Amino acid sequence: MSELIEVITKDGSSSLRSIFFQENFHSFLGALEETKTKFTAPSDLQRYKDKSLNVLDICFGLGYNSASLLNELLKQKSYLNLYALEIDRKPLKYSLSKKSFLKLWAPKVTEIFEALSRNDFFEDQFFKCKILWGDAREKINIIPSSIKFDLIYLDGFSPQKCPQVWTIEFLSKVTEKLNSQGYLITYSSSAAVRKTLRNLGLEIFSIKPSFNNKTFWSQGTVAISKFDKKKLNPKCNIEKLSLMEEEHLLTKASIPYRDQNLNSSKDDIISRRLNEQLFSNLLSTKKWREKWKMTKSSVKS
Ligand SMILES: C[S@@+](CC[C@H](N)C(=O)[O-])C[C@H]1O[C@@H](n2cnc3c(N)ncnc32)[C@H](O)[C@@H]1O
């Protein structure tokens, strides 16, 4: 689908850049680091020790999020039913060709990834994994409606570069698949995405930054439908939105991406939103940035 260029990130782990989407797959700070802090830690996987869980990995890419998940679950005898959605087969082929990537995980992960690349499927005593190739907006419909996910990872390119996977209509399909105690986890702290998830009835939390400064004010979002305060593990590093983050959701940046029939082009989704922002009475995002002394670059996806 797209031309891909190898990128070695700051922690030494390999990643890719998409020429088509004009964006890197991971933060320059580290692909491995990003997976661990933004997806694996907030998943609080110890909850599933000796138990079974269903996970949906949207925008599988090289497979860092699934690999890290499998690697942790192998250590604690959990039973996993994994579905992955991805439009392009090349990133997985790249992962399988990269010894340094495969060496990050237990050998079982290579076995599973090889089966996914060859047969789209893997099954053994503990793990049942399936990858559905194609546009996630369409392929999500193939997942049986009886399956509710304990964890959903949403790792698309940023909303500005790939709005197709951040629209109200797509996120509504995604949240329908979330188990009542399930966590939807994304690296994105976009006001539009957060507001959409909140409007869909989920309680939203911010993934705490590892170091707090104006540029890194959040590492992403965890959305939970029936939040149980007693069950929240402090180690998962999530917290209520700060006043600054709440006020972000009152600005024009919170205007959602829309894709009524789930088949719009990127440009149509973006221009529809720009038009809506133009006529909106919501607070200007510039004023919010000025109040909180932020530069444009610190307000990430
Ligand atoms: C930021 S990368 C994902 C990073 C990934 N989780 C990893 O560990 O490498 C985004 C991925 O989304 C995929 N993608 C883009 N548009 C998509 C769509 N409409 N449906 C499914 N996958 C899509 C791209 O091919 C790319 O692999």
Side-chain angles (χ1 to χ4, degrees):
M1 177 194 184
S2 55
E3 204 182 310
L4 302 169
I5 298 173
E6 181 171 69
V7 173
I8 305 298
T9 61
K10 258 190 167 172
D11 68 0
S13 57
S14 312
S15 182
L16 293 169
R17 176 173 180 79
S18 164
I19 300 296
F20 181 82
F21 288 99
Q22 287 286 296
E23 199 163 74
N24 289 1
F25 278 49
H26 294 96
S27 134
F28 72 95
L29 292 175
L32 179 62
E33 175 62 22
E34 185 170 18
T35 290
K36 284 187 176 164
T37 56
K38 301 184 184 171
F39 291 91
T40 315
S43 300
D44 191 15
L45 294 173
Q46 289 99 317
R47 292 180 289 164
Y48 302 103
K49 192 172 182 316
D50 300 315
K51 294 192 183 133
S52 62
L53 72 158
N54 296 331
V55 180
L56 173 61
D57 183 0
I58 305 174
C59 296
F60 179 88
L62 283 84
Y64 269 95
N65 300 335
S66 287
S68 177
L69 167 82
L70 290 160
N71 207 55
E72 292 308 307
L73 296 181
L74 274 166
K75 298 177 196 161
Q76 61 176 41
K77 292 213 173 83
S78 298
Y79 298 84
L80 170 70
N81 184 21
L82 173 75
Y83 273 86
L85 302 176
E86 172 56 53
I87 205 165
D88 187 357
R89 289 177 181 261
K90 286 199 291 297
L92 174 56
K93 289 220 163 80
Y94 168 81
S95 303
L96 284 167
S97 72
K98 202 76 200 163
K99 280 210 175 78
S100 59
F101 172 85
L102 299 174
K103 271 185 11 202
L104 295 170
W105 329 105
K108 187 80 183 176
V109 174
T110 305
E111 195 189 322
I112 296 172
F113 275 28
E114 272 169 353
L116 289 178
S117 181
R118 215 179 314 115
N119 310 323
D120 313 337
F121 185 75
F122 173 89
E123 186 166 10
D124 72 2
Q125 184 199 347
F126 288 104
F127 300 145
K128 194 171 166 184
C129 310
K130 194 167 180 53
I131 189 158
L132 303 172
W133 299 107
D135 191 330
R137 294 179 291 179
E138 197 188 311
K139 297 295 167 185
I140 196 167
N141 297 316
I142 295 179
I143 302 171
S145 54
S146 56
I147 301 182
K148 298 289 176 211
F149 292 96
D150 301 291
L151 293 170
I152 299 182
Y153 295 155
L154 183 53
D155 200 10
F157 290 113
S158 65
Q160 280 298 317
K161 296 289 164 69
C162 184
Q164 296 92 319
V165 295
W166 305 100
T167 62
I168 301 188
E169 292 77 7
F170 182 66
L171 290 178
S172 158
K173 278 191 180 274
V174 171
T175 55
E176 270 170 31
K177 302 217 162 282
L178 193 64
N179 184 337
S180 60
Q181 299 287 323
Y183 291 9
L184 186 159
I185 304 176
T186 175
Y187 72 89
S188 175
S189 34
S190 134
V193 172
R194 285 181 165 178
K195 184 80 170 287
T196 299
L197 292 171
R198 182 175 274 176
N199 286 344
L200 287 167
L202 303 182
E203 199 159 336
I204 55 170
F205 297 87
S206 184
I207 304 175
K208 285 189 220 169
S210 19
F211 43 95
N212 212 341
N213 70 23
K214 289 253 149 33
T215 316
F216 298 102
W217 45 272
S218 171
Q219 302 212 80
T221 306
V222 177
I224 306 176
S225 55
K226 284 215 175 74
F227 172 61
D228 181 350
K229 220 174 170 182
K230 281 178 256 139
K231 286 197 179 152
L232 194 66
N233 179 349
K235 282 195 202 143
C236 358
N237 253 352
I238 67 176
E239 61 188 359
K240 289 208 155 215
L241 300 200
S242 65
L243 180 61
M244 177 191 86
E245 289 171 288
E246 283 293 349
E247 288 187 3
H248 194 200
L249 305 196
L250 303 174
T251 69
K252 289 187 188 188
S254 71
I255 291 187
Y257 296 87
R258 298 180 193 275
D259 177 13
Q260 207 184 358
N261 299 316
L262 287 161
N263 59 7
S264 307
S265 67
K266 167 197 163 179
D267 291 345
D268 283 349
I269 300 173
I270 296 283
S271 70
R272 222 174 274 141
R273 179 168 179 262
L274 281 174
N275 207 35
E276 201 174 330
Q277 284 176 320
L278 200 63
F279 292 102
S280 158
N281 293 324
L282 290 177
L283 285 175
S284 99
T285 315
K286 189 165 173 256
K287 289 228 168 73
W288 171 81
R289 273 199 309 269
E290 281 165 3
K291 174 175 175 186
W292 295 98
K293 302 199 171 36
M294 263 189 283
T295 60
K296 213 168 183 181
S297 68
S298 61
V299 185
K300 313 157 294 168
S301 46

